[in-house]
Amino acid sequence: MEESVYSKVSWRLIPFLFLCYVVSYLDRVNVGFAKLQMLSDLKFSDTVYGLGAGIFFIGYFLFEVPSNIILSKVGARVWIARIMATWGVISSAMMFVTDAQMFYVLRFLLGISEAGFFPGIILYLTYWYPARRRARIIALFMTGIAFAGVIGSPLSGWIMQTMAGVNGWAGWQWLFLLEGAPSVLVGIWVLTYLDDGIRQAKWLTESEKLLLEENIHADATDKKELTLGQVFTNGRVWLLAIIYFAFIMGLYGVGFWLPQLIKNTGVKDLVNVGLLTSIPYGVAAVVMVLMGRHSDTTGERRWHTAVMGIMGAVGLVFSAVYGDNTVVAMAALTVATAGILSTLPLFWTLPTAYLTGTAAAAGIAVINSIGNLAGFVSPFLVGAIKDATHSTAGGMYLIAGSLLLGTFLVLGAIPKQLNR
């Protein structure tokens, strides 16, 4: 009976949360595609672009913890709907950017509006699934990143190429408008679809609710219950935040620069750039699910995470060394993307196995907000290095080093007993 109940829960929640994450990630990184036209239209340097792309995460950092605590108080349904509608409006408003200052302001506001979405969903999943089931579930949810790349990359390339000049707007302006609107619509849908927890789910029978609640209660008995103040001074929370920072360096190194890296190999047509960009994300989606399932089956977390981190680093190095060879660079970028994206759902089994209650709400937010500062550091440094050296190779080596640091910390500092 238990398997059928969790299957019912997963079919109800995961496809919808997956959709929410797809539109979230698309709005966050479509600036990577807009860059291919935006920089020449607005006379931006790569440093200006990198700073604007990354400043999103300053607003994200400042409002992440308060947002997640509010979600735990008012419920996921209302708060996630608010988050999605707000960022959709601001993302669409990016079409009106005319100078660097406006670019920075809107990206900062976009970070504020989206703060709390991802850690809120991770927290929300702990309301439904015990730790032993969480790697595969988080992996399924986080394949939204990969799927956003699979459908978003060709779509972004097509919008920018075919809509350029329509109504007097540039292709990148249409990109922001057309990819921002779905977030508002899905945000409204959240209000009618999501339940705040097991007890509110009218689509479950009473016996099904009791089974789920018993598993969550049993799962919580061996976790750490920290006060809000203790969360901010807990060494393990900070360690996890540093590890996540190292891995997020890789995520946004790929997310913001993959179209440019592919273009640098000699591919000029934007539609072809979009189609090729979808390949690494498609492979990554499969690897994420397989690794999450295998980790849950074996109960091992640390080595699964570490192997994927090494895979990401090696792929980035080879993509830089063979950056002028489309076939080899694409193979290396595919390996890198699959490795980097697979570290993330595996990583999130570690803090959710350790924290519960208020500590989970605040701890997940602290880890995510600090880790996502890498979303500011990564594109800014790659952009600055590219302006200084006229090559993205140095930036890829830097990100590969960050991935190896995260891998070393997972193996050297995370206790083996956190394997579940």
Side-chain angles (χ1 to χ4, degrees), residues 16 25 71 79 106 116 118 121 163 168 172 174 188 212 218 227 229 236 244 271 273 277 307 317 331 347 381 388:
F16 184 74
Y25 194 75
L71 182 147
W79 198 243
L106 284 176
F118 176 79
I121 297 297
M163 297 297 289
W172 61 268
W174 278 107
I188 295 170
L212 294 171
T227 66
R236 189 168 290 170
Y244 196 52
V271 173
V273 171
T277 303
V307 168
V317 169
F347 167 84
L381 288 182

Side-chain angles (χ1 to χ4, degrees), residues 208-223:
E208 290 170 338
K209 291 178 183 180
L210 289 173
L211 185 149
L212 294 171
E213 289 170 339
E214 286 171 3
N215 284 346
I216 294 298
H217 177 73
D219 189 55
T221 56
D222 59 349
K223 293 183 184 178

Side-chain angles (χ1 to χ4, degrees), residues 143-273:
T143 53
I145 297 177
F147 194 74
V150 171
I151 65 164
S153 300
L155 177 63
S156 297
W158 180 84
I159 289 172
M160 289 175 62
Q161 187 156 300
T162 61
M163 297 297 289
V166 176
N167 200 43
W169 295 339
W172 61 268
Q173 291 177 297
W174 278 107
L175 176 69
F176 286 127
L177 176 63
L178 295 179
E179 292 188 352
S183 295
V184 179
L185 299 176
V186 176
I188 295 170
W189 190 7
V190 167
L191 287 172
T192 62
Y193 190 87
L194 274 193
D195 301 291
D196 286 330
I198 294 169
R199 193 43 49 186
Q200 291 75 37
K202 296 179 181 178
W203 43 274
L204 290 172
T205 66
E206 184 60 28
S207 61
E208 290 170 338
K209 291 178 183 180
L210 289 173
L211 185 149
L212 294 171
E213 289 170 339
E214 286 171 3
N215 284 346
I216 294 298
H217 177 73
D219 189 55
T221 56
D222 59 349
K223 293 183 184 178
K224 202 77 163 171
E225 178 65 75
L226 304 176
T227 66
L228 185 58
Q230 288 173 327
V231 167
F232 288 94
T233 58
N234 184 270
R236 189 168 290 170
V237 169
W238 284 94
L239 170 65
L240 290 165
I242 292 168
I243 294 170
Y244 196 52
F245 182 98
F247 291 147
I248 291 293
M249 284 284 288
L251 174 64
Y252 290 111
V254 168
F256 287 126
W257 288 95
L258 187 56
Q260 184 68 61
L261 293 171
I262 292 173
K263 189 178 180 182
N264 289 349
T265 68
V267 181
K268 301 302 181 186
D269 184 85
L270 291 180
V271 173
N272 288 336
V273 171

